[in-house]
Amino acid sequence: MDEASFGLMMSGLRTTLWLSVTSIVASLILGTFIGVLRVSPVLLLRKIAGYYVEFFRNVPLLTVLFFVFLGLPETGITLSIFNSGLVGLSIYTAAYVAEVVRAGLQSISHGQTEAARSLGLSYAQTLQYILLPQTFRITIPPLGNLLIALVKNTSIASAIVVPEVMYQAQVVEGRTFNSNIFLFAGLLYLVITIPLGLLANVTEQRLRLPERSNA
Amino acid sequence: MIEFRKVNKWFGSNHVLKDINFKVDEKEVVVVAGPSGSGKSTMLRCINRLETIDQGEVIVDGMPVQDKRTDINKVRQEVGIVFQQFNLFPHLTALENITLAPIKVRKTERTEAEKLGKALLERVGIPEKAHAYPSQLSGGQQQRVAIARGLAMRPKVMLFDEPTSALDPEMIKEVLDVMVDLAREGMTMVVVTHEMGFARQVAQRVVFMDLGQIVEINTPEEFFTNPREERTRLFLSKILKN
Amino acid sequence: MKRWILILSLVTLVFAIAGCGPSLATPAAQPAMKAMAKAADGTLLRKIQDRGKLIAGVKYDVPLFGFLNPQTNKVEGFDVDMVKAVAEAIFGDPNAVEFKEAISKNRVPFLTDGVVDIVASTMTINAERVQQIDFSDPYYVAGQSLLVPASSTITSIKDLKGKNVASAKGSTSETNIRQKAPDANVVLFDTYAEAVAAMQAGRADAVTTDDIILFGFASKDTTKLKVVGGQFTIEPYGLGMQKGHQEFRDVVNKVVRDMKTSGKWAAIYKQWIPADKVPAVPPQNWQDVKLP
């Protein structure tokens, strides 16, 4: 690979990394929020969150990205190219995160909520200190899978010209006609996804509660 | 301290509480007995609005519990509750279970809350378990932590919803001992239980419920030796046989 | 009933795209001119004459040049008109042509394998291709240009400093624009249609590629889009033929030359290309085509 191509691929890697990190944070926050609304005591909020999840789970990511990139400007909201990718990926992934969070919340015994509320904790405090920490522990494996999928999905942002790894690989391929560049691009994704998977495993281990050891 | 005024509740077409009227005075210990499905747990849970009612009023420390305008979290800070299934928070240590509400609700300093938490663990007899997680404790130890957790908010009333029913027989006594101590210290208590020994030992009154109604309210002495109602007699003959 | 019409039209479309629909639909139009004399036995031209029709490879997806019009189900455009002129010269009938879809990848093999007699598919004459096939005289000079919104102040590549210029990944247009306007910020899409959509959404200030593609977009809505900046590269297009058929090539070249002198070339240009003015006719030798 010539120096210019390598430089392009490295700049693509930086963009992919940053896009991944920001999208992970944004989709976890948004997804948790929507997942909480999914089990909210207020019917309207449950419905809105339900529609959100159903919509974004059932449309292709590419259409979401193109809508943010080309459709939103018509309504007067023009995000930068990078932010278009960030927003599209995050609102899409958040739907999946929300479902994981909802399932996690629903798996926690109702007695937990009753105990917390009986102590005078508000609904929000109960979520914050009791339900979400437990949910987070049990949802690390599925969330890890989602976030790995998210990193791989950043490649689709190449279609809206976010200059990430896949975009740069296509540019290099177009210039050099060397299709092996895609193999190299794949390796660059592994550089992010494999440590991310390990991180999920380590986090799960560290947060694991002690096993029952009848004292 | 607690007053039920003509309280009625339905689950669908099932009339689970029928015209409940009764009072619990300050420092009084009331045991609620009755066959399963009699509505005794439901009644207890109305006191801190874990259950809503359809008619009537429940008043706790002067606050109408079921009134939408009442800040229910205020009521709940005054009313501790201990559940059959303990419901400890599995991701928190024993001490953290106890200090969470004082820190987050009462806004007590962490160091002070921990001092209080350790004192409470001492009181329930397991100071060495402060940093154990619930999964590392026996059932009896868990229930004692749950009692300490309820006491940490310095409530005016403690509710017990069949606190020993999920325990192995050898652990029942360690929990009852804690409750007896608590009663002797003057805590206002409402206890749903089948432990008639506990009722005899510390209760001022026994409430007998059946089919959603209060059948009889009596002193323990009278209740066990000379019940007024036929249904009470029938119930006692059944459980005292076991 | 409606469903059947839909299915039928879909089937027709599929056949059309496969290359056997539109040409067969119009076999017998009245000859307007006299056919030319039979050529010598064994020549390609004689083979064509005996067959009674010309087989031509054209593009089906390039508006203004070779485009299968979904309304008429016929191919039309500048390239198509060139082929028809050749057919008219041979048979006296411009419609004595069977069209086949020639995409960029298969058009040279089409000629070398003898699948078609002639290819008119926006094909640039260059030294490499001249080794493989024969070309007619240039019949059109394309070149890279700029498509901008009608309201844009951009008039040439000198105005592109710091502007977002959209093109397609892996195209020669990308390489060219980086050389000609190094100060521009080049953004690359998968297709030119996406690049134009992005520009219309305000995502890019200009789209650059060969002007024939840009004219195609501009012709859809001349109130919103315009082609500016002239040509900053040159691509002389020629009609492609199998190597070694002098007699056929002479006929084709005579047609091209006659069109240039008779004014027919200018008429076809005007008919298809939404440019401000008709340019000078292309020179006879492709190597004489120079940047203005």
Side-chain angles (χ1 to χ4, degrees), chain B residues 17-70:
Chain B
L17 293 179
K18 297 177 188 161
D19 283 338
I20 303 293
N21 284 296
F22 93 105
K23 266 185 171 178
V24 179
D25 294 326
E26 207 172 328
K27 303 204 173 182
E28 193 180 13
V29 177
V30 173
V31 164
V32 183
S36 62
S38 61
K40 53 193 195 302
S41 281
T42 306
M43 185 186 76
L44 186 83
R45 289 157 59 87
C46 289
I47 296 171
N48 68 349
R49 213 209 270 173
L50 287 181
E51 303 285 353
T52 55
I53 60 173
D54 299 307
Q55 281 173 11
E57 267 189 304
V58 178
I59 294 169
V60 174
D61 198 21
M63 293 180 278
V65 174
Q66 304 289 342
D67 193 323
K68 287 262 184 270
R69 285 162 296 184
T70 303

Side-chain angles (χ1 to χ4, degrees), chain C residues 136-147:
Chain C
S136 72
D137 293 353
Y139 67 92
Y140 184 86
V141 179
Q144 193 169 338
S145 193
L146 299 171
L147 180 73

